[in-house]
Amino acid sequence: MSIQIFHTDLYPTCFHLQTPGSSYVMGVSQDGLLIHLHYGAPVAQAENLTRAENSPWFPAKPGETLLDHVPLEYSGSGMADLRPAAISVEWPEDGDNIADLRYQDYALLPGKPQMEGLPQVYTEKEEEAQTLRITLCDAKGLQVDLFYTIFDNSDALIRRTRVSNKGTSPVVLHRIMSSALDLPDPRMELVHLHGAWAREFNEERMPVGHFCQCISSTKGASGHQHNPFAALVTPGCNESAGEVYAASLVYSGNFLIETDVDAMDQLRFTIGLNDWCFSWQLLPGEEFCSPEAVLVYSAQGLGHMSRTYHRLYQNRLCRGSWRDRPRPVLLNTWEGVYFDFNRDKLLHLAKAAAEQEIELFVLDDGWFGHRDSDNSSLGDWIPNEKKLGCTLRELAEDVNRLGMKFGLWVEPEMVSPDSDLYRAHPDWALCRPNRPATLARTQLILDLSRTDVQDYLIDAMSSVFESAPIAYIKWDMNRNMTEIGSFASPEKSAGEIAHRYMLGLYRVMETLVTRFPDILFESCASGGGRFDPGMMYYMPQAWTSDDSDAIQRLDIQGGCSLVYPPSCMSCHVSAVPNHQVGRVTSLDTRWNVAVMGGGFGYELNMTALSDEEKEVVRKQICTYKEDRGFLFTSELYRLEAPADGMFAYAQVAPDKSRFAVTCIRRMFRAQRAPLWLRVDGIAPDKQYVETSSGETYIGSELLSRGIHIVLDDVDFASTRLNFVEKK
Ligand code: DGJ
């Protein structure tokens, strides 16, 4: 890791940021423009990039001031660069919309300076990272600070933007991107993750076109439809070869990722807050911070990109006492009983779970107010003692006596119209005054842009968390924002309220996770509707999808693993026929898929299992407990499937002393050739013993020829093989 500053004739100040596998080079032109010179494979002599022959845009032709063909690091607005700008402003006093950003100075900062109020990657020791701050200014007093942080031993580059009004009149921000990148070659493909409820994280790839393509959310959450991640890859790029330029936004609300190829075939790639309806007034002396964007360059395909994100997010984004601890095996009540339970039923379930040596019993929705369906009571976080047959504390203590920890579901951000909270404070819901509010799942969203509502929520949740020995909280969120407005600030734009909501939510979460450091928090938004790096800063795991079918989960978890560490994914074994898609798969296959994630558990009626099934489950839990230390720290390699319609992955110990490969078939096809699965990520010169057969293999053999996979001749068959280094 290094940041070098150098000077050349054409570019009086230049910057070169180097990670083990990438170089990022910028130069300040003589007229103060910050020019992007290179992002990609490491360059030994960054000075060479500043040669006049390498800068065809200089000198400009006489009378020619268009900037459309110049690779700008962070383009201002209203001037001669007519591509999508990185920032767009308006000075209401005179209607001026220009941000003419010119270089002012830079600073090299040790470590990584932290922002207030937003989730972010952090350092544990200052020596781990270095930060470059470059300051650009507009003559009217707009100051734009660009921050770039690189870490030791990582190919991630963390960017963010801070805008300050140093002038004398107010300025309104309409758009502020966290990162903008001008790449010289448009022959790229865009990889991103799209989906819907119960069908999240589908990987899609398409060529970048000569127009503006955008991936975004206007849902008030990062959303099921698009994830705040995209990668530009060279055609043919696969898991282990090809170039990748990836960007991921550390934010949980409305976001925007754009690619734009201009008339001169240059590709602009931007990521940041969604500018949809967004305006933010900055008075003189005020500043605004964008969320962070985490860029990764990989010259070794998508696998290296994923593992770079996994390491950074698992170790330097997730925080707290659970960050490095393998998680307890849980039983969640949702798919087992839904809203239909009483004390006897719960204790019956809990006993069955305890017999299987489950470690955490999670009571999902339906324990409070008079909530026997999803029509009421959100906001009234008072346990329904009639239904529970006791206090929450008594129930939790009963569960504890069975040898398990107790966990609880909450959906704090919501309010049901049928609730005492709403009847007392109808103006606490997000809504445009004098407009009807749309209901979704018969609920409204609390206006977390308001400090009084945030404070209420902190108190309400603290009371719940203190009321019983609660070891785990599932924090759910089940609807999109609509009619975005605040009764407290009716004049503010939808985009501003949506962002203020996120800042309010982050404040609530920061307070609660700090106040309750021992609780394991899991975020959820109808499954993976807010599975993003922003949430990960507060809650180290997330419910990956409401679809718990093992076969659907292959795409869901495989896509999710493109960016997010498996340790953060909650994956449960559920009942068959599966409740979402009706498919019947074996317990083995359901387990083989679920052990990909660090939040492992069961979500079914344990009392309904046959004796034979109970035996299988007992063995699964025993094996999981033995292996979870290895699984939690292992590195994920998505493997090239041995045949069409198959999914395979390897979990490899960082020191390569041990690994497991899992292969799952979707549909069985008769008359097929033998299946050879090539492993990745292991040491070629080590000898490994496959534990079930006792056979010894050499790493190089498994890397090149692969292992012969034997599967039952049925749909949805799977196998999992464990290998340990032969000493
Ligand atoms: C949506 C979640 O994704 C489910 O797992 C479950 O907790 C329900 N909400 C409860 O209402």
Side-chain angles (χ1 to χ4, degrees):
M1 149 190 90
S2 74
I3 302 179
Q4 291 142 26
I5 316 295
F6 60 94
H7 311 278
T8 65
D9 289 346
L10 204 52
Y11 299 96
T13 311
C14 298
F15 308 94
H16 181 193
L17 295 93
Q18 261 188 308
T19 70
S22 75
S23 276
Y24 194 103
V25 186
M26 298 166 272
V28 179
S29 70
Q30 280 155 358
D31 50 1
L33 292 170
L34 185 62
I35 309 292
H36 179 79
L37 294 172
H38 173 71
Y39 186 32
V43 288
Q45 292 285 334
E47 288 79 0
N48 290 352
L49 301 174
T50 68
R51 282 194 291 244
E53 307 84 88
N54 286 338
S55 299
W57 42 85
F58 293 137
K61 288 190 207 119
E64 175 69 86
T65 46
L66 264 185
L67 293 174
D68 253 3
H69 59 297
V70 180
L72 292 173
E73 182 61 21
Y74 198 82
S75 71
S77 56
M79 300 255 312
D81 175 8
L82 301 172
R83 297 165 290 181
I87 184 169
S88 138
V89 301
E90 184 188 344
W91 304 88
E93 245 177 35
D94 54 9
D96 182 356
N97 71 338
I98 290 171
D100 180 8
L101 300 177
R102 304 284 160 160
Y103 173 76
Q104 182 160 317
D105 62 14
Y106 77 91
L108 281 179
L109 310 165
K112 180 172 185 292
Q114 295 301 92
M115 307 176 264
E116 280 268 308
L118 279 166
Q120 59 206 301
V121 169
Y122 60 90
T123 52
E124 283 198 332
K125 293 192 203 114
E126 213 171 68
E127 317 82 82
E128 285 176 3
Q130 266 186 293
T131 299
L132 168 67
R133 192 209 70 220
I134 301 180
T135 298
L136 310 175
C137 283
D138 174 87
K140 228 162 168 164
L142 189 76
Q143 180 175 309
V144 174
D145 293 307
L146 306 176
F147 291 86
Y148 303 80
T149 300
I150 49 176
F151 273 77
D152 229 358
N153 292 323
S154 171
D155 282 327
L157 168 65
I158 297 130
R159 288 187 58 176
R160 68 180 173 95
T161 307
R162 180 176 68 195
V163 183
S164 316
N165 183 353
K166 304 276 182 192
T168 51
S169 57
V171 62
V172 176
L173 304 177
H174 288 296
R175 174 176 164 107
I176 164 171
M177 290 292 116
S178 303
S179 161
L181 203 56
D182 278 358
L183 298 169
D185 191 341
R187 289 168 300 173
M188 301 289 257
E189 292 173 346
L190 175 66
V191 174
H192 77 115
L193 298 166
H194 74 95
W197 171 73
R199 195 168 42 75
E200 300 86 343
F201 297 115
N202 297 277
E203 189 180 327
E204 185 169 62
R205 189 188 282 214
M206 77 213 71
V208 168
H210 283 76
F211 52 91
C212 192
Q213 280 159 296
C214 72
I215 297 159
S216 69
S217 171
T218 53
K219 298 180 187 329
S222 44
H224 294 88
Q225 194 178 343
H226 291 156
N227 197 264
F229 157 81
L232 295 171
V233 303
T234 45
C237 171
N238 59 24
E239 284 296 321
S240 53
E243 281 190 293
V244 180
Y245 298 84
S248 157
L249 194 68
V250 187
Y251 189 61
S252 315
N254 297 334
F255 71 89
L256 178 67
I257 303 175
E258 281 181 342
T259 62
D260 180 77
V261 180
D262 63 27
M264 306 304 286
D265 288 344
Q266 296 186 105
L267 171 51
R268 180 163 284 180
F269 184 33
T270 49
I271 182 167
L273 290 177
N274 200 331
D275 56 8
W276 168 82
C277 295
F278 182 77
S279 58
W280 192 283
Q281 177 169 266
L282 275 188
L283 297 175
E286 288 184 341
E287 62 181 44
F288 182 92
C289 287
S290 80
E292 281 181 357
V294 179
L295 310 187
V296 171
Y297 169 78
S298 163
Q300 300 143 55
L302 290 165
H304 177 69
M305 172 206 77
S306 295
R307 287 182 292 280
T308 303
Y309 278 122
H310 294 174
R311 272 181 229 120
L312 187 73
Y313 285 176
Q314 182 167 352
N315 302 319
R316 292 294 179 268
L317 180 63
C318 290
R319 297 175 297 165
S321 65
W322 280 100
R323 186 189 73 178
D324 301 329
R325 272 156 76 193
R327 315 286 154 75
V329 179
L330 64 76
L331 176 75
N332 179 296
T333 58
W334 181 241
E335 287 197 21
V337 292
Y338 294 102
F339 291 105
D340 180 17
F341 56 82
N342 56 30
R343 179 184 171 80
D344 283 351
K345 215 169 179 177
L346 289 180
L347 288 181
H348 200 42
L349 273 178
K351 278 189 194 118
E355 276 162 22
Q356 301 289 343
E357 301 194 14
I358 297 252
E359 299 160 306
L360 170 68
F361 180 81
V362 178
L363 177 56
D364 209 280
D365 200 352
W367 58 269
F368 54 94
H370 57 99
R371 190 161 166 94
D372 292 321
S373 73
D374 53 16
N375 287 334
S376 78
S377 305
L378 294 169
D380 296 345
W381 299 106
I382 311 293
N384 183 345
E385 293 183 5
K386 206 163 147 227
K387 182 172 180 179
L388 295 176
C390 58
T391 63
L392 197 62
R393 176 173 290 279
E394 283 163 345
L395 179 69
E397 286 174 351
D398 279 346
V399 168
N400 290 167
R401 270 190 287 277
L402 289 167
M404 291 178 294
K405 302 269 188 210
F406 179 74
L408 197 64
W409 176 97
V410 289
E411 193 179 358
E413 298 156 67
M414 299 293 150
V415 62
S416 306
D418 178 9
S419 67
D420 292 341
L421 182 71
Y422 186 73
R423 283 183 280 274
H425 300 285
D427 58 327
W428 278 12
L430 274 185
C431 185
R432 278 265 145 222
N434 304 320
R435 295 266 188 193
T438 302
L439 286 179
R441 213 192 187 206
T442 336
Q443 63 199 51
L444 297 166
I445 305 184
L446 286 174
D447 178 2
L448 290 187
S449 72
R450 293 172 63 150
T451 319
D452 52 352
V453 181
Q454 296 162 24
D455 290 341
Y456 145 78
L457 210 52
I458 291 169
D459 289 348
M461 285 304 115
S462 296
S463 305
V464 174
F465 301 169
E466 277 158 2
S467 70
I470 292 173
Y472 159 105
I473 284 291
K474 177 175 172 186
W475 182 297
D476 205 349
M477 194 284 287
N478 285 305
R479 64 156 291 176
N480 295 327
M481 285 184 192
T482 56
E483 299 91 25
I484 307 169
S486 172
F487 280 93
S489 339
E491 74 292 350
K492 294 210 185 324
S493 71
E496 174 167 345
I497 293 295
H499 183 58
R500 286 190 185 276
Y501 177 99
M502 291 318 308
L503 298 178
L505 175 64
Y506 290 147
R507 177 180 163 242
V508 170
M509 289 187 165
E510 181 67 32
T511 310
L512 290 172
V513 301
T514 310
R515 198 174 281 177
F516 299 94
D518 297 326
I519 292 183
L520 169 59
F521 285 92
E522 172 165 325
S523 78
C524 172
S526 304
R530 206 165 55 185
F531 200 129
D532 58 59
M535 282 295 131
M536 221 162 262
Y537 185 65
Y538 305 95
M539 307 197 170
Q541 61 186 52
W543 180 225
T544 318
S545 175
D546 273 355
D547 192 331
S548 59
D549 168 60
I551 300 305
Q552 292 271 282
R553 277 282 183 136
L554 299 177
D555 293 330
I556 294 171
Q557 294 173 195
C560 185
S561 77
L562 220 51
V563 201
Y564 303 108
S567 60
C568 296
M569 285 184 214
S570 256
C571 306
H572 298 171
V573 171
S574 63
V576 290
N578 174 265
H579 291 197
Q580 293 78 40
V581 299
R583 187 174 286 124
V584 176
T585 52
S586 69
L587 263 174
D588 278 352
T589 291
R590 280 176 269 158
W591 188 79
N592 283 339
V593 176
V595 292
M596 186 173 168
F600 170 73
Y602 291 78
E603 186 156 340
L604 41 71
N605 184 349
M606 280 260 163
T607 62
L609 295 181
S610 67
D611 287 347
E612 201 186 323
E613 287 172 322
K614 280 186 186 154
E615 196 43 43
V616 177
V617 168
R618 190 168 302 123
K619 283 202 186 119
Q620 291 181 340
I621 292 173
C622 180
T623 311
Y624 182 79
K625 286 182 185 170
E626 274 167 26
D627 285 359
R628 69 178 150 193
F630 151 69
L631 293 174
F632 194 75
T633 50
S634 66
E635 308 214 303
L636 179 80
Y637 287 80
R638 292 173 298 266
L639 303 179
E640 199 178 316
D644 284 352
M646 288 198 171
F647 183 89
Y649 67 95
Q651 290 155 307
V652 183
D655 66 359
K656 310 210 183 284
S657 62
R658 181 177 174 185
F659 64 95
V661 289
T662 305
C663 182
I664 301 121
R665 166 194 289 137
R666 286 170 234 248
M667 302 305 282
F668 175 62
R669 192 165 56 87
Q671 298 289 6
R672 41 147 191 79
L675 300 168
W676 288 94
L677 176 64
R678 273 205 255 178
V679 186
D680 195 3
I682 62 173
D685 48 352
K686 283 194 199 297
Q687 291 201 320
Y688 294 101
V689 178
E690 195 274 301
T691 56
S692 63
S693 64
E695 285 296 322
T696 300
Y697 296 83
I698 300 170
S700 55
E701 170 191 350
L702 296 170
L703 287 162
S704 56
R705 175 69 164 124
I707 176 134
H708 180 216
I709 295 287
V710 181
L711 294 176
D712 292 342
D713 285 353
V714 291
D715 294 342
F716 322 130
S718 66
T719 189
R720 183 170 167 84
L721 301 168
N722 282 288
F723 295 79
V724 289
E725 185 181 354
K726 188 169 182 175
K727 294 286 179 192

